[in-house]
């Protein structure tokens, strides 16, 4: 039974989550383009919003890129350039730990603002509140994995998760088995991350896919107001 649950959660569920992420995002952008925004509440408690938002976004960006590079780069590349497994593990703990703490502090400020300010809470939907709490929990789980990672400075655990992530992308039928015996905190962290991918198209997180790149080459314009005599 345990093998079946592991195979489903980490061998099948990733494809469900990623498929919904891609197709759901495309459909939402096509059918509801005006909902493709973060729905900011910045007119309320702007100072706390700015502090929390900057810390959260900077930290999460570093964490995301670290996961992307760390998990999807073939281990042979690190061996080829002379980066040892223990060094990569320690670097991931150090950089990920600092970035994780920064984003966790930011998420805490944002969650506190949304939960404890009566005006903001009254103007927040269930999805708005739930997503920030899920992100807060995901960051907390990520920081919790550091405690376990320091017990495996040989890099063995790191290689295990790299094999799983790369196995998912290459449709390796054995991918789920690579993390069968991983610590439950790691597994919960992965499961919640996949769930965030699953619900991504239906939340305000879609704004992460929008970057104002077009403004780099768009020609400028000026708005003028004509003066007409009042009738």
């Amino acid at each position: 039974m345990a093998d079946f649950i592991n195979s489903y959660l980490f061998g099948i569920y990733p494809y469900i989550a990623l498929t919904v992420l891609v197709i759901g995002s495309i459909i939402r952008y096509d059918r509801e383009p005006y909902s493709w925004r973060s729905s900011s509440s910045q007119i309320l408690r702007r100072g706390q919003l700015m502090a929390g938002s900057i810390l959260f976004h900077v930290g999460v960006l570093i964490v995301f890129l670290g996961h992307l590079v760390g998990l999807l780069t073939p281990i042979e590349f690190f061996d080829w350039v002379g980066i040892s497994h223990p060094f990569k593990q320690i670097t991931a703990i150090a950089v990920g730990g600092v970035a994780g703490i920064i984003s966790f502090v930011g998420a805490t400020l944002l969650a506190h603002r949304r939960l404890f300010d009566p005006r903001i809470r009254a103007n927040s939907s269930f999805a708005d509140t739930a997503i920030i709490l899920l992100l807060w929990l995901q960051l907390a789980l990520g920081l919790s994995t550091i405690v376990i990672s320091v017990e495996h400075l040989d890099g063995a655990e790191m290689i295990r998760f790299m094999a799983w992530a790369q196995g998912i992308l290459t449709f390796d039928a054995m991918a789920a088995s690579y993390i069968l015996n991983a610590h439950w905190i790691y597994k919960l962290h992965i499961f919640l991350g996949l769930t965030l991918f699953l619900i991504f198209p239906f939340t305000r997180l879609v704004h992460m896919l929008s970057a104002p790149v077009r403004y780099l080459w768009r020609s400028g314009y000026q708005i003028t107001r004509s003066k007409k005599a009042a009738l």
Side-chain angles (χ1 to χ4, degrees), residues 140-151:
L141 287 171
L143 290 173
S144 298
T145 63
I146 294 177
V147 178
I148 307 169
S149 296
V150 295
E151 300 176 358

Side-chain angles (χ1 to χ4, degrees), residues 131 134-135 138 191-201 205:
I131 197 65
L134 286 175
L135 290 169
Q138 178 69 340
F191 173 75
L192 184 54
L194 293 171
T195 302
L196 287 171
F197 284 158
L198 181 74
I199 65 176
F200 184 95
L205 291 178

